[in-house]
Structures are given as structure tokens and as C-alpha cells.
Amino acid sequence: MKKSIIKTNIIIICLTILFTCMISPVEAKERPEAISGLLDLTNWDFKQDGVLSLDGQWEFYWQELLTPDDLNKTNVIATEYINVPMSWNKQKINNDQISGQGYATYRLLINTPSDKLYGIKVPRIFTSYNLWVDDKLVASNGTIGSTQEETVPQYLPQVKYFKPNSDTTELVVQVANFHHRSGGILESLQIGTDTQISDLRTKNIALELFLFGSLFIIAFYHFGLFLFRTKDKSTLFFGVFSLLIALRTLLVGEIYFIYVFPNFSWEIAHKIQTLAYYMGVPLIFLFLKSIFPKEFSTKVVNTVLIVGFSFSFLVLLTPAIIFTQFNPIFQLFSIVALFYATWAVFTACYKKREGAYLIGLGVIFLFLFTINDIIYLSVVFNDSANHFLRNIIVTNNLSSWGLLIFIFTQSLVLASKFSQSFTRAEFMKEELQQLNEGLEQKVKNRTYALENSKKDLEKAYKALTKSEKSRQNLVQNISHDLRTPLTSIRGYVSAILDGLVKEPEKQQKYLNKVIDKTSHLDHLVQQLMDLSRLESRQLKLDFKQVPIDLLMKNIIEKYSFDFKTSNGSFQVNYPLNWESKTTYKENLFVLVDIMQLDRVLTNLFTNALAHTQNDDQITLSFDLIADNKKLLIAVADTGTGICTEDLPHIFERFYMAEKARQQVPKNSGLGLAISKEIIEYHGGQIWVNSKLGQGSKFYFTLPVSSQDIEKGLLSNAL
């Protein structure tokens, strides 16, 4: 609502400024007119009442080119009078109606005070003239003659100043026309003080030049718009139309162009002026058709184009004396066409087309002012005196102002479109940015998901590979490592069945051996199954997050108690400064499966006990390494040790190092391999340092985190 009020106020202010430039002050006093060739201005105060048009009845001498001397010496008595402004076409002389071609003399006597300096503003006169003021030739334009060959036409409005010799001033004007349909004085001569006339002339020229400059710039502005966006033809049509009207502005009114180029051909200037009118109507229809395509009928527009360009060709191909004869036809046609265009624009406003209200407002002004000029230049207006429209229509140069108003409203529509386009562009840019950001996030999410899927697939592939390898190893182990006990079992049973062992005591002994072998086989198969499931990660560990100090405390308590029942010496080594750093200890955790970790330690301690004597020592050590990110646990003994060549294979399954620690009764040869898989399953590492005869030291690490845990989980874990 606020925006619409601001826009309306801006439009009203701009239109007010334009009308202020156009409209002359209102004249309240009754204006005197010439009667029978005499104009009494004794009661006219120019300073108070302003400039006066020399309208009324002038003496008229048809087919005579008289000078003031001729009129005074011969005491010619006027018998004919003609109204000014008006063409002499259809004027009756001796009951004969004269045509527009010919020559004549006009005379007017003006009663004015003689002690002042006056100015007289002479409009364009059709189509050549000489002007005398009190026996003095003060102005002329073109060449006066009694035939077409002797006459040279030209339009040149002028301002002249004079000081009357007496209380009665005589104006004598010789006029000749053989090149235009209409002849005579068609526009009013004006009289005023020298200052008033000078100001009037300056103001008119300034306004016309301002109008020309505005239209000229707007024309090329629209040409520029068309070059940047050739798809939109409306800017091209409007640019050409503006340029034509701009050129016409220089050739009507004060006709400043002739002052700059006084020898410019009247014929060409008149063709340009007329072409601007004839081509302007089709162009404005093309422009409106491009804006409101549904409201303007294509047939009507084509008809306007055909008629307009046909008359334009007529102007180009024939002289002014011919094509001006057809001007009334096109004037009537253009009025009908403009009424149709007005109806179509109103329809667009009714249907609330984009920009229809503003363009409709401009079109109304343009059409009203254009119709003003058409009527002013029409045959009906120029060939008749005392026409009622002369009180309304006083100038023929309003169409340029109408176009300026139309351009102003059209510019507002154009600015509105640009503003909306920028707004849409900014909105789309924001949407695009949001879409890009969303797309980038989606790509990141998809990439992250793909990476996870890839990792899962890699894990699955590794697990599958391990599973397959484990299966193959299991088959190999079963086929190779289980063959020996099975062979022994079969030998024991066959000896009994074949009668080789007949004593009951020996048979009982053999059967006990079979039971031992089968128990060993069962243990071996279970170990193999566990190892295979660990290798393939099919065995799910029950990870719990446990504080390191609590984990160490439980391990130490458990194995200290176990070693009390054995003959070995057991010692525990804590990390450096462990007891003094309470906060340090409470904030460190490990993620472990307690049961599986106990299995690893059991394997290592069992192995250590199996290869130590009574006087040997077994040590359990804890330490934090890698900036407290790893917990290092070591189980060391001072037993037999491992030879150097067996160390690389000590964690392989069924590596029965004859010289090393696998020579343990009922040892399956899988304990260290299972321990290695469990530690790696926890994300740690396991290794051994040993020398034959000097004992061994097994190390393994567990990842440490500083994340806190819930006390409930802690209690459940232990």
C-alpha cells in the first residue's frame, strides 16, 4: 500500500511539472480582434494583459502583390476581408471559390500607442511571404512570385521589433503559395512588448530543444535496449517512433532547424515532417501490439501498417503539392485508428495486464495531444473561420509533449520490469545458492555414505577373504593335524578289536588313551572354530569401556591369586608415577571384551608357567605409551626362551616349534594365534622379544581414550 502511494505521488509530481512547462497562463480579459482590417489596441495593456494574437478580419487582395506604397498611393479600398488565422482555400472572390495556390496581399491597421517598442512574432506562413511594418520591410521568407516557378517556399518563424511612427501601425504581408495544398496565414501573428515577444520566442525554443533532446536520447536508449535484447521488438518500434517525433519537433513550432540550416530544402523538410506522422501511427500500433498482443487484432494492425506505409510511399514519391492533397484522408484514418487503440488499451487495463494502467495513462495523453495536432492541421480547421475548435486548439505541437508523457509512463513500466527482473534474479540467485549448498551437502552425504559403503565392502571383502582363508586353513588343519590323533585312536581300537590286546587292564588303558585323544580333538576343534571366527570377524566381542586403573586392579587381583597356588614367582610393575596421579588415572579408558582379554592373558601366563622352573620369575607390567594413547601390557618370564628363527612364526597356528614354547603337553598350537587375533580385534598389536635360555617377554597394546563412561556400564563390564 505504501509503495503504491509513493508511486502515485511521484507520477502526479512529474506530470505536474510537465504540464507547468506546457500550459500558458490563463487569460481572463476579453481579447480584441480585428474588424474590417482594423485592430484597436488602445485599451490593451501589454504588460498587464500579455501578448495578443493579431486575429480577426484582415484586408485581403487576391492575386495582387501590393507594397505599402502601392496601397497608400493608389488609395486602394479594400473590398475583401479574410479571417486570420485561416487558409485562403475556398475563399470566395467575386463569387468564385479560390484554391490553395496563388498569391495575395494582407493588410491590418493597428491602433497602438506610438511611444513604445513592440515586437511581433511571425509564424510559418504558407509558403512564402514579405512583411512590412509602417512602410518598412522587416521580414521575409522564401521568394514571393506570381507563378510556381518564381516562388520558393520556406518555413521560418521570426521575431521582429518596431516602434510605430504614429498611433496607427500598418502591417502589410505579401503571401504566395504554389507548393502546398493550403495557402495563406494559417497561424496567428502575435504582438507584444519587445521583452514579451523575446521571452516568448526564447521559451518556445528552449522547450522545443529540451523536447527534442529528451526524445532523441530516449530513442537511442531504446535502440540500445534492443541491441542487448533483440527478442523484444517493442524497444525497436518505440525507439524509431521517438526518433521520428524528435525530428518532427525540430520542423514544427519555432522550426529551429531552419535557423541552423537556412538553405535546407522546404520540400525535404516537409516530407520528413509528414513521414513522421504517417509512419508514427503504424509504429505506435506495432509497439502496443508487442506489449498487448491479445488486445490488438492482427488484422487491424496489418491494415494500419498497409495504410501508413502506403501514404509514406506517396510522400516519398510525390511532391508536397500532391501528397498534401491526400493528407485529410490519412488524418481521418488516423483518428479512427487511435480510437481503436484507445479501446484496446482500455481492454488491457480492464484485464489488468502488466503495466497496462501506466501505459494506458500515457496513451491517453499521447492520443489526445496527437488528435489536437491532427485537428489543427486538418482541412476543416484551416479552411473555415470562426470554427468553435479555435477556442480550444491553439497550437499544433502538442503531440511531442504527449509522446514525452507517454515515454515517461512507459519508462516507469520499464523501470518496474527491470526492478522485478532484478528482484527475481536475486531471488533465483538465493534459491540457486541454497540449492547449491543443499546439493553440496547432499554430495558430501552421498560421498560419505559411499565411502562408508566402500569401507563396509572392504571390511566385508576382507572378512570374506579371511573367512575363506580360515575355512581353507580349517580344512587343511582338520585334514592334516587331526589325522594323527585319529590314527592313534583307530590303532588303539583296532588293537582291541583284532584281539592283539586281550588283557582287560591293557584294554582299559587303551580305552583311556582313546578318551584322552578324543578330548584333545574336541578341544582342538573348538580352538580352530574360535580362531576361524576371530579371523573372519564373525565372532562378536562384547566391548565395554573400562577405566584403566580399574582394569589393572582386577587383572592384578585375579592373577596374583592364581599365582599363590603355583610355585612361580609373580611380580607386578605399574606405570611410572602411577600412584600419584589420581585424576590422570580416572580419565583414561580402554574399550575391551573382558572375557577375551582374560583369554589372552591366560594363554600368555599358561605359556609362561609351562616354560619356567620353580626359581624363575613371571612379571606382569603396565605402561602408557604414545602420549597416553595406548596401554602396553607385558607378560615376561625368565624361562627357556625362544630361538631367533622361531620368533617370526610364533603367532602362526599350529606352529609347533620343537625348540620353542609350543612343546607343551595338550598344547593345541593355537593359543598364541588366537591371542593375536583377539588383540588385533581390539585394535592393538602383539609381539614378543626373546632369546633362547634367557626368557621371553610378550607385549600387547590396547587403544586408550579419554572419554568418560557411565558407572553402570563399568559395573556391568567387571
Side-chain angles (χ1 to χ4, degrees):
M1 180 63 74
K2 291 183 178 179
K3 290 184 177 179
S4 61
I5 294 174
I6 294 173
K7 290 179 180 177
T8 304
N9 291 333
I10 293 174
I11 293 171
I12 292 174
I13 292 171
C14 294
L15 291 177
T16 302
I17 294 172
L18 286 174
F19 280 116
T20 303
C21 298
M22 295 164 49
I23 298 176
S24 300
V26 177
E27 299 168 353
K29 187 176 180 179
E30 184 179 356
R31 308 177 72 80
E33 290 190 353
I35 301 174
S36 299
L38 177 64
L39 178 62
D40 185 5
L41 300 181
T42 53
N43 295 324
W44 186 261
D45 186 348
F46 287 99
K47 291 185 178 179
Q48 181 177 352
D49 301 327
V51 175
L52 180 70
S53 296
L54 301 177
D55 296 343
Q57 293 178 334
W58 287 46
E59 295 179 13
F60 184 65
Y61 304 93
W62 177 244
Q63 300 293 60
E64 294 183 78
L65 295 176
L66 303 174
T67 65
D69 290 339
D70 295 332
L71 291 170
N72 294 325
K73 289 179 181 178
T74 58
N75 293 321
V76 175
I77 299 175
T79 58
E80 299 291 341
Y81 296 93
I82 188 171
N83 280 289
V84 174
M86 173 184 169
S87 70
W88 63 48
N89 296 48
K90 298 181 182 180
Q91 184 78 12
K92 287 187 177 180
I93 303 296
N94 298 326
N95 296 323
D96 294 330
Q97 195 174 63
I98 64 176
S99 67
Q101 287 74 51
Y103 53 93
T105 302
Y106 291 72
R107 186 172 79 159
L108 177 68
L109 299 177
I110 307 172
N111 290 332
T112 58
S114 58
D115 56 344
K116 297 181 180 178
L117 180 62
Y118 294 95
I120 184 168
K121 186 172 184 300
V122 185
R124 61 176 182 173
I125 294 178
F126 290 63
T127 53
S128 60
Y129 70 91
N130 290 326
L131 171 64
W132 283 266
V133 178
D134 289 339
D135 300 332
K136 183 178 180 181
L137 180 64
V138 296
S140 63
N141 190 32
T143 302
I144 290 291
S146 57
T147 63
Q148 184 175 12
E149 291 73 19
E150 296 175 352
T151 305
V152 177
Q154 188 57 281
Y155 291 150
L156 184 61
Q158 300 183 62
V159 170
K160 296 299 178 183
Y161 304 97
F162 67 95
K163 188 172 184 179
N165 297 327
S166 62
D167 293 338
T168 301
T169 300
E170 181 184 42
L171 299 184
V172 176
V173 185
Q174 294 178 345
V175 180
N177 172 56
F178 294 96
H179 296 83
H180 195 278
R181 176 202 169 272
S182 300
I185 304 174
L186 278 68
E187 300 172 13
S188 297
L189 284 79
Q190 292 176 301
I191 188 171
T193 64
D194 57 336
T195 305
Q196 289 174 331
I197 293 299
S198 176
D199 292 344
L200 178 62
R201 169 72 169 174
T202 303
K203 174 185 174 184
N204 289 342
I205 291 177
L207 288 177
E208 288 177 4
L209 290 179
F210 163 75
L211 196 58
F212 167 76
S214 301
L215 297 177
F216 191 79
I217 292 173
I218 289 172
F220 280 90
Y221 172 72
H222 282 80
F223 289 153
L225 290 178
F226 174 72
L227 292 177
F228 284 111
R229 193 166 183 266
T230 56
K231 182 181 179 181
D232 185 7
K233 299 290 192 303
S234 65
T235 52
L236 175 64
F237 301 143
F238 197 80
V240 175
F241 180 66
S242 300
L243 183 61
L244 289 176
I245 300 301
L247 295 176
R248 181 182 179 276
T249 303
L250 292 179
L251 298 173
V252 297
E254 299 298 332
I255 314 180
Y256 187 75
F257 182 81
I258 300 301
Y259 275 97
V260 180
F261 303 100
N263 296 323
F264 193 80
S265 169
W266 174 89
E267 187 79 25
I268 295 176
H270 204 76
K271 284 179 181 292
I272 295 173
Q273 174 192 342
T274 308
L275 281 174
Y277 170 40
Y278 287 175
M279 295 181 66
V281 176
L283 285 170
I284 197 65
F285 264 73
L286 287 173
F287 170 72
L288 293 174
K289 170 71 175 174
S290 63
I291 296 178
F292 307 120
K294 295 183 178 179
E295 282 70 30
F296 279 80
S297 168
T298 303
K299 292 181 179 178
V300 174
V301 174
N302 290 337
T303 302
V304 173
L305 290 177
I306 293 171
V307 174
F309 287 110
S310 297
F311 274 84
S312 298
F313 280 115
L314 179 67
V315 172
L316 292 174
L317 300 177
T318 62
I321 189 60
I322 295 178
F323 70 72
T324 54
Q325 304 293 331
F326 296 92
N327 200 35
I329 299 174
F330 191 80
Q331 288 173 340
L332 181 61
F333 171 78
S334 59
I335 289 176
V336 174
L338 292 179
F339 274 112
Y340 170 80
T342 304
W343 172 81
V345 171
F346 281 165
T347 304
C349 293
Y350 176 76
K351 294 181 179 179
K352 298 181 179 179
R353 304 294 187 198
E354 183 181 4
Y357 291 120
L358 281 174
I359 293 178
L361 181 64
V363 166
I364 290 173
F365 280 102
L366 176 62
F367 288 175
L368 288 178
F369 290 178
T370 302
I371 290 174
N372 172 90
D373 289 1
I374 291 173
I375 294 174
Y376 190 92
L377 299 174
S378 67
V379 174
V380 176
F381 192 83
N382 291 323
D383 293 356
S384 62
N386 301 321
H387 199 285
F388 73 98
L389 290 176
R390 289 191 180 277
N391 296 324
I392 303 173
I393 300 174
V394 296
T395 180
N396 67 335
N397 195 24
L398 285 183
S399 59
S400 299
W401 288 102
L403 178 61
L404 190 63
I405 295 174
F406 178 65
I407 288 172
F408 172 71
T409 57
Q410 199 266 346
S411 299
L412 289 179
V413 174
L414 195 62
S416 176
K417 289 183 177 179
F418 284 161
S419 177
Q420 292 176 3
S421 299
F422 284 132
T423 302
R424 283 196 295 268
E426 291 174 352
F427 178 72
M428 293 177 65
K429 180 182 178 182
E430 292 179 358
E431 279 194 335
L432 188 60
Q433 287 178 343
Q434 293 177 357
L435 186 61
N436 287 336
E437 291 175 357
L439 186 60
E440 290 178 358
Q441 186 61 39
K442 286 183 179 178
V443 170
K444 289 182 179 177
N445 294 337
R446 295 291 175 84
T447 304
Y448 179 74
L450 288 173
E451 289 177 349
N452 289 336
S453 298
K454 180 183 176 183
K455 292 179 180 177
D456 292 341
L457 288 174
E458 289 177 351
K459 288 181 179 178
Y461 175 76
K462 291 179 179 178
L464 184 61
T465 303
K466 284 187 175 182
S467 177
E468 176 61 19
K469 186 177 180 181
S470 177
R471 185 189 64 80
Q472 293 175 357
N473 292 335
L474 179 62
V475 173
Q476 292 175 358
N477 293 332
I478 291 174
S479 62
H480 291 86
D481 298 306
L482 301 185
R483 182 177 300 171
T484 301
L486 287 175
T487 302
S488 299
I489 292 171
R490 187 174 60 183
Y492 292 136
V493 175
S494 297
I496 296 173
L497 292 177
D498 292 342
L500 297 177
V501 179
K502 295 180 180 178
E503 293 84 2
E505 293 178 356
K506 284 189 175 180
Q507 288 180 348
Q508 183 65 35
K509 183 179 179 182
Y510 276 33
L511 289 175
N512 287 334
K513 289 184 179 291
V514 170
I515 291 173
D516 290 341
K517 293 295 183 182
T518 53
S519 298
H520 176 70
L521 284 174
D522 179 63
H523 176 71
L524 183 60
V525 169
Q526 185 60 44
Q527 292 280 72
L528 282 171
M529 293 299 294
D530 290 345
L531 181 59
S532 298
R533 292 173 65 192
L534 285 169
E535 288 177 339
S536 63
R537 297 295 187 262
Q538 293 179 351
L539 180 63
K540 299 301 180 184
L541 303 186
D542 185 18
F543 288 106
K544 301 292 183 183
Q545 204 162 17
V546 183
I548 289 177
D549 58 341
L550 186 59
L551 176 68
M552 292 168 53
K553 179 180 178 182
N554 282 274
I555 292 174
I556 293 168
E557 288 179 355
K558 179 179 179 181
Y559 291 100
S560 296
F561 178 79
D562 291 343
F563 273 94
K564 288 181 179 178
T565 59
S566 67
N567 297 323
S569 174
F570 181 68
Q571 181 179 348
V572 177
N573 295 329
Y574 291 89
L576 187 64
N577 299 326
W578 179 257
E579 295 297 335
S580 60
K581 295 183 178 179
T582 305
T583 304
Y584 167 77
K585 293 184 294 182
E586 291 177 351
N587 292 331
L588 298 178
F589 306 88
V590 290
L591 191 64
V592 295
D593 183 326
I594 299 299
M595 297 297 294
Q596 297 299 329
L597 180 62
D598 183 65
R599 190 175 184 180
V600 172
L601 291 170
T602 301
N603 284 335
L604 295 180
F605 282 119
T606 301
N607 202 297
L609 287 170
H611 296 279
T612 54
Q613 302 298 322
N614 291 337
D615 55 347
D616 288 331
Q617 184 176 15
I618 297 175
T619 305
L620 175 62
S621 302
F622 299 92
D623 198 4
L624 289 169
I625 61 174
D627 294 334
N628 299 330
K629 293 182 179 178
K630 291 182 180 180
L631 173 63
L632 177 66
I633 301 176
V635 177
D637 64 75
T638 57
T640 57
I642 307 170
C643 64
T644 304
E645 56 268 24
D646 289 333
L647 284 176
H649 309 287
I650 196 66
F651 292 103
E652 294 179 1
R653 62 173 65 192
F654 297 114
Y655 185 77
M656 302 299 289
E658 296 180 357
K659 302 175 285 296
R661 311 169 74 84
Q662 303 284 16
Q663 281 188 325
V664 179
K666 298 183 180 181
N667 183 14
S668 62
L670 296 173
L672 292 179
I674 290 173
S675 298
K676 177 175 180 292
E677 289 299 329
I678 290 173
I679 295 302
E680 291 181 350
Y681 207 154
H682 281 76
Q685 293 177 306
I686 188 170
W687 68 97
V688 60
N689 292 331
S690 180
K691 287 185 178 180
L692 192 61
Q694 297 182 8
S696 302
K697 192 171 187 179
F698 285 82
Y699 301 89
F700 67 89
T701 61
L702 293 174
V704 175
S705 68
S706 58
Q707 184 179 359
D708 200 356
I709 61 170
E710 297 181 4
K711 299 299 181 184
L713 292 176
L714 176 62
S715 59
N716 293 332
L718 301 176

